[in-house]
Amino acid sequence: MYSVREISPQIYWIGGNDRRLEQFENLFPLTNGVSYNSYLILDEKTAIVDTVDDAITDQYLENIEHLMQGRELDYLIINHMEPDHCGNIENLVRRYPNVKVVGNNKSFQLFEQFYNMDITKNQMIVGEGDELNLGKHNLRFICAPMVHWPEVMMNFETTTGILFSADAFGTFGALAGNIFDDEVDYKGLYLDEARRYYANIVGKFGAQVQSVFRKIGSYDIKMICSLHGPIFRKDLKLILDLYDKWSRYEAEKEGVVIFYGTMYGNTANTADALANKLAERGVQDIRVYDVSKTHASYIISDIWKYSHLVAAAPTYNMGLYYPMDNLLHEMIALGVKNRKVSIIGNHSWASAANKLMTERFACMKNMEIIGNTFDLKSRLKDSQENMLDELADAIAASVLKKSE
Ligand code: FEO
């Protein structure tokens, strides 16, 4: 059975959902699936904007067959050549052998790398500012390299103000019939997952996101159609403002994320005691995570959200406790910056964690150390409470001063 929705006269959502996939990119846990969005424009000419992952091919082809009613497909626009959106290019070229596949040089280079089909005769190469007229509708191409791969493009439909934005403004989480932001509780259902998606998938490329903002700043955008998650037609400002903040690596909120590694609970005990002391000093909305338990993508998401971070971990094999080391390496790879950081090490006979955590944070830009970094010997004793009080004072003062 087909499952499509009209999003504007002659323009349809023809995507689908995968709720079976355990991990996006085989890396990021999906608790409520993911949607792969694709769009069909039925004008004097017909055009599809991006395809879908091959996990939902049957549904996808049924959707297209239902709407096309035997018409020819004139254009297949490839805004993003990552396989979660390209799984059906070959199928569509087989079904519509005369279709013009619209992309840039990089898109076709990647197509050749990923697939075996020769589509040279179908290629239509476009670049920045080119336009494709379909009859009433007119698509302008905007190059958006590295948001999230080098070939990425967006399209601005100049008569309706629809921005087809590729991965940008997308989110984890399947759709449930309601495909528009005003049909769902976006903040309740999707916002945290949109941040997790941004931070982990696009987070490294903040400068490139800013560059796209400079290109589309003067456009009168009425609707944003991403490749994942709800379409924005009501509160576009919400996601545009957040993307601006996220891509500048600015915290959304003053608040503290404490993430710790612990073998026998002693470092966890210190982290909890610190959280308690921060709460007593008036700090709200504190987050505490065990890096061995919570998938790094969720911690990274809160690192993007909050202003202050506390890392606490033991020495392990004369190095840093592995899950903490992995998390800090991910933060470096994603280009995390502009945060206030506090560090607590732990060791029983030889100390390395403290020094290594300090070195890792030094690899990130504009990370200001708050309070005295200290190194526990196996566990925090009541007699050492003053050390924790001093750290809590310093963090709370910094958070509360900024919140005023
Ligand atoms: Fe949804 Fe970058 O792929």
Side-chain angles (χ1 to χ4, degrees):
M1 175 69 191
Y2 66 85
S3 182
V4 301
R5 292 219 30 209
E6 188 180 59
I7 64 169
S8 170
Q10 299 179 304
I11 305 182
Y12 300 84
W13 174 85
I14 56 170
N17 297 295
D18 185 349
R19 298 184 184 84
R20 285 189 174 190
L21 187 67
E22 284 288 334
Q23 299 189 117
F24 189 78
E25 293 184 351
N26 215 7
L27 274 177
F28 306 109
L30 293 174
T31 49
N32 188 32
V34 65
S35 78
Y36 303 112
N37 300 336
S38 171
Y39 303 94
L40 171 62
I41 305 172
L42 289 176
D43 203 328
E44 287 166 30
K45 298 287 186 184
T46 58
I48 285 177
V49 180
D50 287 303
T51 77
V52 297
D53 191 276
D54 57 15
I56 60 166
T57 293
D58 287 353
Q59 174 76 68
Y60 184 59
L61 296 179
E62 213 169 333
N63 290 348
I64 293 171
E65 197 171 310
H66 166 73
L67 286 171
M68 291 292 277
Q69 297 284 317
R71 288 187 68 180
E72 274 297 305
L73 180 63
D74 296 300
Y75 300 105
L76 171 56
I77 294 159
I78 307 300
N79 283 329
H80 190 10
M81 252 308 301
E82 190 163 2
D84 56 333
H85 309 295
C86 296
N88 278 276
I89 295 176
E90 289 176 305
N91 281 331
L92 292 184
V93 174
R94 272 189 215 105
R95 286 188 170 211
Y96 304 103
N98 296 318
V99 67
K100 288 284 171 219
V101 181
V102 184
N104 54 52
N105 288 321
K106 267 268 182 278
S107 340
F108 293 118
Q109 182 190 324
L110 287 168
F111 182 86
E112 278 176 30
Q113 289 170 207
F114 276 106
Y115 300 101
N116 284 320
M117 182 183 256
D118 180 1
I119 59 164
T120 315
K121 73 174 179 53
N122 302 86
Q123 286 180 10
M124 178 175 162
I125 294 182
V126 292
E128 182 77 49
D130 286 350
E131 298 200 352
L132 179 64
N133 192 275
L134 302 173
K136 286 184 188 156
H137 296 91
N138 185 58
L139 295 170
R140 183 179 302 151
F141 290 86
I142 303 158
C143 293
M146 301 317 298
V147 185
H148 133 240
W149 279 15
E151 83 300 352
V152 169
M153 300 189 293
M154 299 182 183
N155 325 119
F156 183 65
E157 203 291 296
T158 55
T159 66
T160 56
I162 295 175
L163 179 70
F164 296 101
S165 64
D167 278 339
F169 314 114
T171 181
F172 297 131
L175 295 167
N178 302 122
I179 64 168
F180 294 102
D181 64 330
D182 56 291
E183 294 179 335
V184 294
D185 172 11
Y186 183 84
K187 285 186 180 170
L189 285 173
Y190 290 104
L191 181 53
D192 284 343
E193 286 292 80
R195 184 186 306 100
R196 186 166 71 97
Y197 179 90
Y198 176 84
N200 289 279
I201 308 283
V202 191
K204 182 177 177 60
F205 307 112
Q208 289 83 352
V209 173
Q210 283 293 317
S211 155
V212 169
F213 271 121
R214 286 192 286 277
K215 289 186 190 181
I216 64 174
S218 59
Y219 289 7
D220 185 14
I221 301 169
K222 297 280 200 301
M223 192 184 288
I224 298 175
C225 294
S226 167
L227 292 176
H228 301 286
I231 293 169
F232 293 90
R233 68 178 178 187
K234 186 170 183 224
D235 195 357
L236 282 67
K237 189 171 166 9
L238 171 76
I239 197 71
L240 289 168
D241 286 354
L242 282 171
Y243 257 64
D244 187 36
K245 201 173 269 286
W246 292 339
S247 58
R248 292 176 193 276
Y249 304 88
E250 285 176 13
E252 278 170 59
K253 284 188 81 171
E254 291 299 312
V256 185
V257 188
I258 302 172
F259 44 97
Y260 65 80
T262 196
M263 282 183 277
Y264 298 103
N266 292 308
T267 311
N269 167 268
T270 305
D272 275 326
L274 177 63
N276 201 47
K277 287 181 181 299
L278 290 171
E280 285 173 348
R281 286 158 174 76
V283 177
Q284 296 183 355
D285 205 18
I286 302 161
R287 295 283 188 271
V288 179
Y289 291 110
D290 182 329
V291 294
S292 300
K293 175 74 176 175
T294 302
H295 190 273
S297 64
Y298 293 93
I299 306 174
I300 293 278
S301 180
D302 268 348
I303 285 170
W304 236 268
K305 181 175 181 181
Y306 291 103
S307 56
H308 288 66
L309 315 177
V310 180
T315 295
Y316 195 90
N317 280 343
M318 272 318 291
L320 179 57
Y321 191 61
Y322 304 149
M324 177 61 82
D325 210 11
N326 290 341
L327 177 63
L328 296 182
H329 277 295
E330 274 190 53
M331 290 171 67
I332 293 168
L334 289 169
V336 171
K337 55 184 138 183
N338 305 336
R339 295 293 183 272
K340 309 268 196 289
V341 181
S342 307
I343 297 168
I344 301 171
N346 196 351
H347 70 283
S348 294
W349 59 91
S351 169
N354 213 318
K355 174 174 172 286
L356 288 169
M357 284 190 283
T358 305
E359 284 174 10
R360 302 283 184 269
F361 282 117
C363 294
M364 304 173 211
K365 287 187 184 154
N366 194 26
M367 304 295 267
E368 183 188 338
I369 301 287
I370 299 290
N372 290 327
T373 295
F374 61 83
D375 208 1
L376 304 171
K377 271 207 154 183
S378 303
R379 71 179 298 165
L380 184 75
K381 297 292 173 60
D382 289 352
S383 59
Q384 297 171 303
E385 189 176 4
N386 65 313
M387 289 198 309
L388 207 57
D389 277 323
E390 282 171 21
L391 182 60
D393 284 342
I395 296 171
S398 174
V399 171
L400 298 175
K401 189 173 109 200
K402 281 283 194 103
S403 308
E404 278 167 11

